[in-house]
Amino acid sequence: KNEVEQSPQNLTAQEGEFITINCSYSVGISALHWLQQHPGGGIVSLFMLSSGKKKHGRLIATINIQEKHSSLHITASHPRDSAVYICAVSAGTSGSRLTFGEGTQLTVNP
Amino acid sequence: ETGVTQTPRHLVMGMTNKKSLKCEQHLGHNAMYWYKQSAKKPLELMFVYNFKEQTENNSVPSRFSPECPNSSHLFLHLHTLQPEDSALYLCASSQRPLADPYEQYFGPGTRLTVT
């Protein structure tokens, strides 16, 4: 079992829909990261959070430390949101050393 | 544009070839990383450099040889690779390597195919 589990693995939505991607982890963490990877391969950091909630535009990330769970929400989804979304954790005292989930492939259809 | 560049973007090499991947960061960071991303698998950390010193080698075969001449440049030298080494190789940088969680900034990756 991976230390970081994401669900679903694949998600297809219609433009405008509200999207939720989930991440569960089994280790103590100092921070959780949400990353976005477009088909070209490059990865962009969306959020780094250790408690509560963060919002950036149409993206919202939440984390529940007690339940070892985080969610990434996308409101009013758009085809340009189509990408792989990756959850990663900085575990315990390892600081910036990241452990990654397998990613969620999101496809938003017009 | 994340401030981290990688060259080449695509590389095809035979098993007997020697090639190098290059990464450069323009962010003033002092930690740099090499990751491997194989199809259908999570990213795997390969090497970590902190102020030009290698601080982590994640059991990577010796056919991968990293080099960090300064805090802005990172190389991955490749020799006698195997077909299973075909993958996307990503470079990243951050402000501090292991002491605190900092956001990592990724390059666009080099798509490597070993024939």
Side-chain angles (χ1 to χ4, degrees):
Chain A
K1 190 179 191 306
N2 293 338
E3 292 179 334
V4 181
E5 296 275 351
Q6 287 185 236
S7 63
Q9 287 187 329
N10 294 282
L11 180 57
T12 300
Q14 289 300 123
E15 184 172 356
E17 286 185 357
F18 181 84
I19 289 163
T20 296
I21 299 170
N22 296 299
C23 176
S24 296
Y25 53 91
S26 57
V27 296
I29 69 168
S30 51
L32 183 139
H33 307 250
W34 282 103
L35 309 168
Q36 181 191 56
Q37 185 172 31
H38 277 283
I43 293 175
V44 175
S45 176
L46 299 175
F47 296 103
M48 184 178 77
L49 66 166
S50 54
S51 65
K53 174 180 172 178
K54 286 191 176 181
K55 184 176 189 292
H56 185 253
R58 295 181 293 106
L59 302 178
I60 303 166
T62 64
I63 187 168
N64 185 317
I65 296 294
Q66 287 73 31
E67 295 185 2
K68 292 188 165 66
H69 181 269
S70 175
S71 293
L72 176 68
H73 305 286
I74 305 176
T75 62
S77 61
H78 190 275
R80 65 174 174 267
D81 297 325
S82 298
V84 176
Y85 292 84
I86 301 170
C87 173
V89 299
S90 305
T93 57
S94 68
S96 288
R97 191 188 195 286
L98 298 178
T99 302
F100 297 85
E102 294 186 359
T104 295
Q105 173 68 62
L106 171 66
T107 302
V108 182
N109 294 318
Chain B
E1 181 60 50
T2 62
V4 181
T5 59
Q6 288 187 244
T7 55
R9 295 292 308 276
H10 299 271
L11 178 61
V12 179
M13 60 186 289
M15 292 167 60
T16 58
N17 291 158
K18 289 185 180 181
K19 297 286 184 183
S20 295
L21 310 184
K22 179 183 176 182
C23 175
E24 184 174 359
Q25 58 97 358
H26 309 274
L27 301 167
H29 291 163
N30 45 42
M32 298 188 77
Y33 311 77
W34 278 117
Y35 290 96
K36 176 184 178 182
Q37 187 178 35
S38 303
K40 308 295 183 187
K41 292 177 68 175
L43 277 91
E44 303 170 59
L45 178 67
M46 300 176 73
F47 301 103
V48 180
Y49 276 82
N50 171 26
F51 289 104
K52 305 186 298 177
E53 298 298 320
Q54 188 182 122
T55 55
E56 189 150 355
N57 176 337
N58 200 26
S59 303
V60 181
S62 59
R63 57 186 184 270
F64 295 91
S65 175
E67 179 190 359
C68 188
N70 54 61
S71 294
S72 298
H73 293 85
L74 185 64
F75 295 89
L76 188 62
H77 304 300
L78 315 171
H79 64 97
T80 59
L81 293 191
Q82 305 297 311
E84 60 265 28
D85 297 322
S86 298
L88 180 69
Y89 289 85
L90 289 152
C91 172
S93 70
S94 72
Q95 188 66 302
R96 285 174 65 177
L98 297 175
D100 301 291
Y102 276 87
E103 281 187 83
Q104 293 188 19
Y105 293 75
F106 288 82
T110 295
R111 176 73 61 187
L112 173 68
T113 303
V114 181
T115 60

